[in-house]
């Protein structure tokens, strides 16, 4: 399927959001969320390099665990809700994909989610990549803008045609 | 070349970024070279002359890599993708400061992040087995 690489892309999006939230957090939350964000970015690279979904049960447990931590952070800390929700949504995409792998394994018809781009159908793979990248970027960019780091950014949309004199 | 996702991505993205770099100069007349607020390319993407030049250089690198070989395309896709990802992260901390020398706005971040994801994912996941023959095919 052309969506096979999406879990890795979603991990990158969630990682960026968690890192941005960590940047505006207290030291304890900064360390926790920063570590989660870095781990998500690293897993995305690992998954793409591996070319398949390895240790699906571990990935499922960790992704749902991180969703739990994110919800807990939203309840206990004064974190922006929408970025956390966006990160959770991206993590749930990963969990959903892993669930599909486990369900297939349970039916004893092994099928691995393959992240590797097909040499036979590069066009289809690239369309999937472009669509996945657009979705992840579309979800991640506004979420980043709503974090503390993003709030300190330029008043978006106030730029004008030739105002840079 | 048609069988290599990295070469296809390199050529397509390279051509698009070259075009964007050239078009950008039509919107940056009177804008300072490193002005923190630029002209709006297509009414959306903020650019200044330095940003246009960066687009031209990146587009040229991607296009050349895509035209030369699979290995070159793969390497340049990963390098440019990583640079864009870094820009996406660092950019959020730079805007609204004098350090925003590329006049980045939210639309730029979206484009850079999407480009980073496509370039990095293609570079990492595709064309893992590059034989000497296919490297120049």
């Amino acid at each position: 399927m052309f969506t096979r690489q999406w879990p890795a892309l979603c991990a990158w999006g969630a990682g960026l959001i968690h890192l941005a939230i960590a940047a505006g957090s207290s030291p304890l939350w900064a360390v926790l969320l920063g570590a989660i964000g870095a781990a998500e970015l690293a897993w995305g690279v690992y998954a793409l390099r591996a070319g398949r979904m390895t240790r699906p049960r571990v990935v499922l447990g960790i992704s749902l665990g991180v969703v739990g931590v994110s919800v807990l952070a939203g309840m206990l800390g004064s974190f922006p809700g929408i970025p956390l929700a966006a990160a959770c949504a991206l993590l749930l995409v990963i969990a959903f994909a892993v669930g599909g792998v486990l369900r297939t394994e349970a039916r004893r018809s092994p099928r691995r989610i393959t992240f590797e781009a097909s040499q036979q159908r590069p066009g289809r793979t690239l369309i999937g990549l472009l669509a996945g990248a657009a979705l992840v970027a579309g979800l991640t960019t506004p979420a980043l803008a709503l974090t503390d780091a993003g709030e300190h950014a330029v008043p978006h949309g106030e730029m004008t045609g030739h105002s840079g004199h | 070349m048609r069988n290599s996702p990295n070469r296809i991505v390199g050529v397509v993205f390279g051509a698009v970024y070259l075009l964007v770099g050239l078009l950008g100069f039509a919107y940056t007349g009177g804008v300072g070279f490193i002005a923190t607020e630029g002209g709006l390319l297509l009414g959306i993407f903020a650019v200044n002359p330095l940003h246009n030049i960066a687009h031209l250089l990146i587009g040229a690198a991607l296009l050349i890599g895509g035209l030369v070989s699979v290995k070159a395309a793969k390497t340049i896709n990963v390098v440019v993708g990583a640079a864009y990802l870094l820009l996406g992260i660092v950019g959020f901390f730079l805007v609204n400061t004098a350090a925003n020398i590329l006049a980045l706005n939210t639309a730029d971040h979206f484009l850079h992040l999407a480009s980073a994801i496509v370039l990095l994912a293609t570079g990492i996941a595709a064309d893992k087995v590059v034989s000497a023959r296919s490297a120049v095919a």
Side-chain angles (χ1 to χ4, degrees):
Chain A
M1 284 178 66
F2 82 128
T3 57
R4 283 178 180 168
Q5 290 159 329
W6 286 17
L9 309 186
C10 289
W12 285 350
L16 288 175
I17 294 171
H18 278 127
L19 284 176
I21 294 172
S25 306
S26 62
L28 181 65
W29 281 112
V31 170
L32 181 62
L33 295 175
I36 287 173
E40 287 164 336
L41 291 179
W43 182 81
V45 173
Y46 169 78
L48 285 170
R49 283 184 67 87
R52 60 195 169 85
M53 183 77 78
T54 54
R55 299 179 185 271
R57 284 185 176 79
V58 175
V59 174
L60 179 63
I62 291 177
S63 58
L64 292 177
V66 174
V67 169
V69 170
S70 299
V71 171
L72 196 66
M75 291 167 64
L76 297 179
S78 55
F79 298 102
I82 292 177
L84 279 174
C88 288
L90 291 166
L91 287 164
L92 288 174
V93 171
I94 299 172
F96 184 77
V98 177
V101 172
L102 290 173
R103 190 179 60 183
T104 307
E105 281 183 355
R107 290 177 182 170
R108 294 183 179 278
S109 57
R111 179 182 71 93
R112 297 182 304 189
I113 280 198
T114 303
F115 296 123
E116 187 163 10
S118 166
Q119 297 296 313
Q120 284 73 38
R121 292 179 170 179
R124 189 172 174 179
T125 302
L126 291 177
I127 289 170
L129 259 180
L130 287 170
L135 281 172
V136 171
L139 198 58
T140 303
T141 307
L144 289 175
L146 290 171
T147 60
D148 280 352
E151 292 286 351
H152 288 105
V154 70
H156 298 300
E158 291 185 8
M159 292 179 180
T160 55
H162 297 284
S163 58
H165 300 282
Chain B
M1 185 177 124
R2 287 180 183 174
N3 289 329
S4 166
N6 273 292
R7 295 188 73 176
I8 295 170
V9 164
V11 168
V12 172
F13 273 59
V16 169
Y17 270 105
L18 273 178
L19 186 65
V20 166
L22 289 172
L23 268 177
F25 286 105
Y27 296 85
T28 51
V31 175
F33 188 71
I34 55 171
T36 56
E37 290 191 23
L40 290 179
L41 176 62
L42 305 176
I44 302 171
F45 304 103
V47 289
N48 63 15
L50 178 61
H51 200 150
N52 293 334
I53 290 172
H55 279 161
L56 287 175
L57 292 175
I58 286 167
L62 289 170
L63 187 60
I64 291 168
L67 292 173
V68 169
S69 69
V70 176
K71 192 176 178 183
K74 192 174 165 74
T75 303
I76 291 173
N77 287 348
V78 169
V79 170
V80 173
Y84 266 139
L85 191 64
L86 191 65
L87 183 66
I89 296 170
V90 175
F92 268 98
F93 297 91
L94 294 183
V95 282
N96 209 25
T97 71
N100 185 21
I101 57 173
L102 290 171
L104 299 168
N105 68 355
T106 301
D108 289 322
H109 289 309
F110 174 86
L111 189 66
H112 292 160
L113 183 56
S115 298
I117 289 171
V118 173
L119 291 169
L120 267 179
T122 308
I124 292 169
D127 300 316
K128 283 181 181 169
V129 182
V130 181
S131 66
R133 186 181 171 190
S134 65
V136 293

